[in-house]
Each structure stands twice: as structure tokens, then as C-alpha cells.
Amino acid sequence: MRECHDELARWMEPLGTRARIDDAGNFRAVYPAAQPNAPHLLIGSHLDTVPNAGAYDGMLGVVLAVALLDELQGRRLPFAIEVVGFSEEEGVRFGTPFIGSRALVGRLDRHLLGIHDAQGISVQKAIEEFGLNPEKIPQAALHSQTLAYFEFHIEQGPALENLNLPLAAVEAIAGQSRLELLFLGRGNHAGTTPMHLRSDAIAGAAEWIVAVEQMAHSVPGLVATVGKIDAKPGAPNVIAREAQLTLDVRHSSDEIRTRAVGELIRQAQEIAARRGLSVRDSILLDQRAVAMDSFLINEIEQAIAKAGCKPHRMVSGAGHDAMILAEKVPSAMIFLRTPGGISHDPAESVALDDVEKAIACGLHLLDQLASSREFIQRITRA
Ligand code: GLV
Ligand code: MN
Ligand code: MN
């Protein structure tokens, strides 16, 4: 991450922009406005990724922000443009996503600083080990006059490819729940323990994983994933004493999502009771679905059309920092078509033509906002 920050900072320098790393580990760099003390427009995405990842999820949005500044060729606008590269969006290490962006809206609190990774290292300690000061996280808050947040991101699904469209405006981001479940049984010898005398934590977890999949198949629009399983003691000839699982549930309706989570917890308890196991659950994330700003969606659609593409609106199934920023500032996203709809995998890719169209769209968008009466009024109000 440090090398990534250094590389980005080197790219920003010729643009007259000094970068800093805030105390939540986010990359921040401000391209000045035509006038001093002007409000900020924030453009960015995240710099972290998943294990065995592709190269574009997150990173492309930050690189596109730098490319847009480059294309301005020194031209100053009525607002400063702050490029942000968020530090921890995926939630892989601590199970909880959006840690970097939460610092900007004042939600990287004591509770979040206290959660631990698999090695028992807290968020607070990880921040300190990176050479940052958790006490100064409040200084990572959004500039007091931030007009809007924009994020370019690959779609990470097949919709745009199927429609043969390069770009889309995101109208809303589906809500998501993340949980950890721990099935507890009795460790014992795999050769001597008769089947009817076992309390096998892995077998109980396996039954529940299939129940998760069945529920997601039976509820339109619901997706549910057990993406990680860790069993102990973890030997071929020992019945598992415990099985720890992650659960990720998403839907554009918060009501359907939370009902599904409640029902899956109930099913885990029923399976555990029937098998002589116990089960504990902890909710790591309950993030509601978030609508993007309607004024900005309209502006994006106009910019997409000016870039020579057909405008399209869609809901994002993936989570994004824009969900968090939207709590405090008008936020919007532009999706780029994802070949094969493949993401969170090394096969993730993007077409160069589509990236060029995204840059053209971004430049039109900046020009539109710089001359939009409504946006200028926001500047006046800010
Ligand atoms: C982020 O990639 C997510 O899990 O949606
Ligand atoms: Mn991702
Ligand atoms: Mn992402």
C-alpha cells in the first residue's frame, strides 16, 4: 500500500498537487480551484483489494481521477478537485468494509478501531503499525465545503456487456449484511466415534451453507454467500470441534435483506439444535441500500450522451465507498462495462475504448458542473 501511495503521489506532482495520507490511511490530494478557499469536489475509489484479485476493482476509479486532472491540462475550475484513494473498502482483513471512507464521515469510531483481524491485531494497532495516529482520525473528515463525491468503478457484473453499453449511471447501491457464525460441536476421534454419537461442527455448517444457497435461490433478487470457512482443529482424522463461517447477504430492499438474515440465523439455530451443536452469530455489517443523488445522476447521463454513448441507469449489487459518502454529501457513480462480468478474480478486465469514453464523460461532467447554475448555487450555499 505504501508503494501504491508513493506511485500515485509521483503521478500527482506534475499536476501541481501534493498528496498526503490521512490518519485512516486514505490517499488524499487536492487540485486547486481557480480561486482560493473554493469548495471541494471529491473524486476517487478504493486502493485495497481482495485476495487473488483483479487489477481494476477500486484502483481504476483512482487512476481515472488522476487521468481527469491530467486532461484538464492545468485548467482551473470554480471548485477544487480532491482525489481520494480509500484505504480499506473490501473488509477482507477485519471482516468489516468501508473503514477508510467511514473516517471521512466521522464514523471510524472506538468500536470499529477495536475490531480484530485473524491474528488478533486491532484496526487501531494496524493503523499505528502503518505509522499513522488514530487520535488524528477526526482530521481525516471531509473538507467542510465538499460539494459532491464521484466514483468511477467497473460494473463487476454482466449487465452492461449484455446491453452492449460501455457506461452507466448508478441510481442506487444494494444494501448488505455481513455476519460471522460459529458452530460449536465436540471434537473426537474420526475412527472410533460412531456416527450417531457425533456432534460434528463441519457437518452442521455444511447443512446450513446449503440452506443459505437455497434461500437465495428462492427469493428474487437476493444473493447470499458463505465465502470463508475455518474449521478446528482441522485434521483429517479429527471430528471438527468448531466451524467458523462468514455470511454476506445483499438485496436492493432492506426489508427483504434483513428478513432473510433473521431467517438464516433461525435456520442455523434449528440445524445446530437438531445436531447437538450450539451456534453463535455476530453481525459485522448492516448497511442499508443507498440512493445516489438525482441531480448528479441526470448530469452523468448528459455527460455519457456527450461522450457518444447511450445513457443507462442501474442498481449496483456490489458495495462501494459512495454508500458511506452519501450520508454526508451528494454522491454518484459511473460504471464501466466489465468484460465477461468477471470481478474479484485475476480475469477481471476492462476495455481501453471504454476507459477513453469514461474519461471523456468525466471531462464533460466537470465542464457541466462548472457552468451549472444549480451546482454553482450549491457552491454559494457551501
Ligand atoms: C466490494 O467489492 C463488495 O463486496 O461489494
Ligand atoms: Mn471489490
Ligand atoms: Mn470496489
Side-chain angles (χ1 to χ4, degrees), residues 260-290:
V261 168
E263 175 58 17
L264 288 172
I265 292 173
R266 195 199 60 72
Q267 288 186 16
Q269 288 160 348
E270 186 269 315
I271 290 166
R274 180 160 37 76
R275 289 172 165 273
L277 308 166
S278 63
V279 64
R280 290 188 212 145
D281 63 86
S282 53
I283 296 177
L284 298 177
L285 179 76
D286 177 2
Q287 170 64 50
R288 63 179 181 83
V290 174

Side-chain angles (χ1 to χ4, degrees), residues 46 48-50 57-58 89-90 153 156 318-320 343-344 348:
H46 59 99
D48 66 314
T49 192
V50 294
D57 171 8
E89 187 266 358
E90 299 281 5
H153 204 287
Q156 304 182 276
H320 298 286
S343 185
H344 283 184
E348 186 178 275

